[in-house]
Amino acid sequence: MNLFKYLFLILFVSAPAIGSSQTLNAFLRAAEEAVEKEDFYSALVFYSNALEFDTSNIDVAYKVAESARKFNSFSMAAKYYQMVYDHQTEAEYPLAGFYFALMNKRMGNYEKAAEHFSIYLSEYEDDDEEYTRRANRLMEAAIWAQEIVDNPWDEFNINHTGGDLNTPFTEFGAIKVGDSMYFSSMRFDNPKDDYVPKRPITHIILSDGEMSIPLPDSINLPRVHTAHTAFSPELDRVYYTICEYLSGRSIRCDLFFRDIVDGVWGASNKLPDTINLTGYTATQPSVGLDPMTGKRVLYFVSDRPGGAGGLDLWAAEILDNGEFGDPFNLESINTEEDDITPFYHFATNTLYFSSMGYKGLGGFDIYKAYDDNGQWGEVTHLGYPLNTSYDETYYTLSDDSRNALFSSNRQESFFIDPEKEACCFDIYEVDILPFLHLITQTFDAITRDSVYGAVIQLVDLADPENLIIEYFDPEEVEYRFPLDRDRDYMLITNKEGYFPDTLYFNTVNIPNEEDLLKQIYLQPDFLELDVLVFDARTRQPLLGVTVAVVNTDDPDFARLEQLNSDDNRFNFDIRRGDNYRILASRKGYATGTEVLRPEEYEGLTTVEKRIYLDIGSLADFLPLVLYFDNDEPDRRSWNRNTDVLYSETFPPYFEKRDEFVATYTEPLSGPEAREAGLKLTRFFETEVKKGHEDLFSFLEVLVPHLEAGDRVNIYLKGYASPRASREYNFILGLRRINSVKNDLLKYEDGILSKYIDNGLLNIREESFGSTSAPPDVIGDLDDERNSIYSLGASKERRVEIIQIEVGQ
C-alpha cells in the first residue's frame, strides 16, 4: 500500500463489535467486509479473533499477516508470515517468505531481510517474474541499507515535535512561514458521515509555537479533506489540496489556490482541468523553478496517464497572466514506484521528494535532485538517520538550510494502536549541523612564504549574497570553515598588496572522515597612482581637495579617499588589471572625474592623472565661511553698521599669519609646537584664504542666476569669539555681516544693487554673537594667546553663507 493511501485511508482502533460468542464464520465474514472497505485495522482484529478458534490454521494466519502488513504493523505481520512459512506443507503461500523478508527490512533488520530474500529466490525464483525482480532489488537494497546505517550522517539532529503538534492520528505536510507553522492533521471527524466506522477527515492547522488552531471553516471545509500548504516566495498565494471520499475509503484529490492580501486568504480557485484531470488525483503542491527554463512552476503529485508508474511528480508553469501551462512529467526523476511529496528549495535550487522507487532503507525515503546547469542532476539519498526503515515524507527546508521538517511513522511516533505498533505519521524537526570543515592556508605565490592577515569569505553559490562566514586575523595564516553536504561554494581571498583569489569547489560525494584542505597562493601586485588637482581657470594648484579612487570592476573593492589641505598631490596604491574612476571634489567647484584603464598603465609602476576643476554651482560653495581678525571691522565700536568691506579686512588679517603662529606657539616646544603651528598655518592657507577666494567665485556664479530672472535668498550669519560681552559680540556679529553686504553692494560697480532693489536678491541676516562658541574657547581678556591667537578663537570670528534659495 502506498503512502498516498496511508495518509488518507482510515486506520481505526474502533472496529465494529462482534461478541465473543460469535462463530468463526461470523468473524471471517466481518473481516472480509472490512478488507473490501480497506479498513485493515478492523480486518486485523477480526482475523485475529478467527485465528483463536484454531491457532494452527495457516489460511487465517496468512490473512492476519496480510492485514497487519497493510495496517503497517510490521512486527505483527512478520510474526504471522513466519508462522505461515514455517508451517505450510505444500508451499500454499509462496509469498509468505517474501513478505517475511520485506517486513524485516521495514523494521531495519537488514541482514535478516537479505538472508530471507535470498532464501525466497532459491525456492521460487522461476515462479513469478515480478516478485523475482522485486526480491533481487530488495535484497540488494537491504545489503546497501546496512552500509548506509553503519555510516550515519552526523549532521542531522532529529527531534520528535511531541504532543503539542502530533496526535495518535496522522500529521504531515509541515512548513514554516515566518514564526508560524502550517501542517495537516487527520484528527477531525465528519459528523454527518454515515459510513461505518466513521471516516476521519483532514484539516490544515496553524501553530504559533504555543497554540495549534485549525484554519476557519471557510478554508477547512467540514465534510472533505483539506490538506497541504504551498506558499509562493512572496507569500501572496497559497496552493492546497481538497480531497473527497468517492466510495468506501477511496479518495480523489484536486488542487486549489487562494491569493493572499495583507495576510488574509482570498477566495478559493480550482486549478484548471489540464492539471486537475478528470478521474485522477492531483495533490501535494510545491512552488518552485523549472531548471530547463528558470521559470516558476507548480510541482505536484498525480496518478494521471503518461507517468512512469504509480504516483509521479509533475509540474506546470505558472504563467505571468496567472494562468498555468500544460503539466509535464519529471521523467528524469520519476520511477516505476510512487514518487511523492515534492518540495523545491529556492536558496539551493534543489528539489526534495520521497520515493519508493530508488534504493532505500525500507519504505518511502527522502531524496534530492539539484538543478545542474538546466538539468536535474543525480538523485541523492539523504542518508541515515534522516531516513529509516519506516516512511519519511514531506521534507521541507529553511532558507539557510539549518532547519528542516518532515513526517514519518518511525517508532518514535505516536501509535494509534500501541499494542500493534502501527500507524501513524508524526512531524519531526531537524537541526542541521556542518558535516565537515574547510581548512584554508594562504601563501605568497612568488616567495611561497605564508601570508598572514588575509580576509577570506566563504559564499554559498546558491545565494551569492549570503555570506556564510568571513575570517580575518592579522596573526593567522590558517582558517577553519564549516561546510554543508552537497553544496557548491565560492572561496574569496583578499589581502592588501595582492590580487584577490577566487576558488570554486563543492562538497558533492565528499566523505566526512577528514577535513578539506585548500592552499591559496596569492599573486602580489599593486600600482602607484599619482593624482594632481588644479583650478581649471587659473591652472594653479588647488589645495583642500578630496580625491577618491573607485574600482569600477569590483564593487567589493574598498573605496580609497584622501583629503590634502597642504598640497594638490595625492598618492594611492591600487590593484592592477582593473578599471578605476578618480573623483576630485572641493567646495566651490564641480566634481571632476577621470578614468584609468589597464591599457594606460601596462608596463608602468607609476601612473599620473591630472584633474582640472571648474567652478561649481551656488550650492557647491556652501557653507561659505569668511573669517575676521579680532574685533574687526571697526574695533571697539558699538555701531551695528560699517563702511568697511570684508575684502578690505582680509589682507591685513592674512598678513598676520606668522604673528598668530609665533604668539600661540611661543610657550610650546618640540612636536607640540610644530603641530600647533601647522594647524594654524593650514587654517590661514586653506580656510581664511579659501573663504576670501570663494566669495568672489560665488558672486561670479550668482550674477547669471539674477540676470536670468531667478529670485535668490541668501542667509548670512555672524559670529564672534567670547572675548567681549554678549551684547557687544551680538553687535559685532551684525557689523561683520554688514561688511560682507558691502562687498555684495560694491561688486562689479554695484551690479547686484538693482537686483536687491527689485526684490530678486534678498539678503537675510542674523547675528549669533558668541552664543554658539564651544565652552573650551577661552574668552579671558588677560589671556590674549588663547582668546585671540588660538585656533579655536580664530574659528569663531566669522560670517557664514549657510543657505541659498533659488526660485522663479
Side-chain angles (χ1 to χ4, degrees), residues 44 110 230 238 259 347 361 396 433 447 533 556 607 646 684 787 794:
L44 176 58
Y110 298 118
V238 59
D259 289 323
L361 300 187
T396 61
L433 307 174
T447 67
V533 187
D556 294 327
V607 64
Y646 155 73
F684 274 90
S787 64
S794 298

Side-chain angles (χ1 to χ4, degrees), residues 595-610:
V595 174
L596 180 63
R597 297 181 175 87
E599 56 266 25
E600 298 180 60
Y601 56 77
E602 185 176 358
L604 301 177
T605 58
T606 302
V607 64
E608 180 180 281
K609 280 288 185 180
R610 295 184 172 225

Side-chain angles (χ1 to χ4, degrees), residues 7-12 161-172 181-191 199-207 211-214 220 225-226 245 414 416 423-427:
L7 296 185
F8 289 114
L9 293 184
I10 311 311
L11 304 174
F12 288 108
T161 54
D164 180 52
L165 300 179
N166 293 313
T167 68
F169 295 90
T170 283
E171 277 73 38
F172 60 97
M181 178 194 295
Y182 289 86
F183 66 97
S184 303
S185 175
M186 290 186 67
R187 67 186 70 170
F188 301 96
D189 292 324
N190 175 9
R199 302 166 295 185
I201 56 174
T202 306
H203 282 345
I204 300 171
I205 297 177
L206 174 61
S207 173
M211 297 182 62
S212 297
I213 302 175
N220 283 320
H225 297 278
T226 307
Y245 288 110
F414 294 139
I416 198 167
C423 190
C424 283
F425 283 77
D426 280 358
I427 296 170

Side-chain angles (χ1 to χ4, degrees), residues 134-148:
R134 290 183 63 190
N136 276 298
R137 180 174 64 84
L138 291 169
M139 181 175 63
E140 181 184 345
I143 296 170
W144 172 85
Q146 187 62 56
E147 295 176 359
I148 297 299

Side-chain angles (χ1 to χ4, degrees), residues 627 679-688 791 794-795:
Y627 291 98
K679 288 182 178 179
L680 275 169
T681 300
R682 185 178 292 148
F683 168 69
F684 274 90
E685 290 291 337
T686 64
E687 297 190 51
V688 176
L791 180 60
S794 298
K795 286 192 171 185

Side-chain angles (χ1 to χ4, degrees), residues 772-801:
S772 65
D776 60 347
V777 175
I778 295 174
D780 187 351
L781 294 175
D782 295 330
D783 186 359
E784 290 190 352
R785 173 180 173 269
N786 283 300
S787 64
I788 294 177
Y789 295 98
S790 71
L791 180 60
S794 298
K795 286 192 171 185
E796 294 304 311
R797 300 190 290 267
R798 68 192 189 277
V799 169
E800 295 180 347
I801 301 178

Side-chain angles (χ1 to χ4, degrees), residues 69 227 304 352 743 751:
R69 175 172 64 86
R304 63 194 293 142
Y352 292 87
D743 269 301
I751 191 173

Side-chain angles (χ1 to χ4, degrees), residues 359-559:
K359 196 177 292 183
L361 300 187
F364 280 99
D365 279 7
I366 301 169
Y367 301 83
K368 68 178 179 180
Y370 179 65
D371 176 359
D372 185 9
N373 295 319
Q375 299 284 343
W376 291 119
E378 182 180 355
V379 172
T380 302
H381 185 267
L382 265 61
Y384 174 85
L386 183 66
N387 289 310
T388 68
S389 63
Y390 291 81
D391 294 293
E392 281 73 40
T393 59
Y394 290 101
Y395 185 82
T396 61
L397 185 63
S398 62
D399 289 342
D400 63 3
S401 301
R402 284 285 171 256
N403 303 99
L405 296 165
F406 70 97
S407 289
S408 175
N409 60 347
R410 60 182 63 191
Q411 287 187 317
E412 295 86 346
S413 302
F414 294 139
F415 291 131
I416 198 167
D417 186 349
E419 181 181 349
K420 296 179 176 59
E421 298 182 352
C423 190
C424 283
F425 283 77
D426 280 358
I427 296 170
Y428 290 80
E429 291 183 318
V430 187
D431 294 325
I432 304 174
L433 307 174
F435 93 109
L436 59 76
H437 284 83
L438 167 70
I439 306 298
T440 64
Q441 298 171 342
T442 313
F443 303 92
D444 187 299
I446 305 300
T447 67
R448 312 308 254 192
D449 293 335
S450 296
V451 173
Y452 292 84
V455 177
I456 301 186
Q457 300 171 325
L458 183 68
V459 180
D460 186 340
L461 275 184
D463 183 7
E465 296 181 359
N466 177 21
L467 180 64
I468 295 178
I469 196 165
E470 175 178 298
Y471 282 147
F472 166 71
D473 189 326
E475 298 180 355
E476 283 293 337
V477 68
E478 182 175 289
Y479 299 139
R480 181 181 176 89
F481 295 86
L483 297 177
D484 290 321
R485 190 186 298 267
D486 297 335
R487 303 300 282 271
D488 291 302
Y489 288 104
M490 177 172 63
L491 191 68
I492 304 171
T493 305
N494 284 283
K495 171 68 177 175
E496 187 176 357
Y498 291 88
F499 280 116
D501 181 84
T502 301
L503 175 68
Y504 297 90
F505 67 97
N506 64 60
T507 56
V508 177
N509 297 326
I510 292 181
N512 61 343
E513 298 173 356
E514 58 185 36
D515 293 329
L516 182 64
L517 176 64
K518 296 290 182 182
Q519 293 183 325
I520 303 162
Y521 291 88
L522 297 178
Q523 292 287 341
D525 202 10
F526 67 91
L527 173 74
E528 188 174 321
L529 168 65
D530 289 329
V531 181
L532 290 85
V533 187
F534 302 88
D535 185 300
R537 296 170 301 168
T538 67
R539 319 301 281 186
Q540 295 298 309
L542 266 181
L543 280 62
V545 176
T546 297
V547 172
V549 178
V550 179
N551 187 317
T552 57
D553 291 336
D554 183 1
D556 294 327
F557 188 85
R559 175 188 176 104

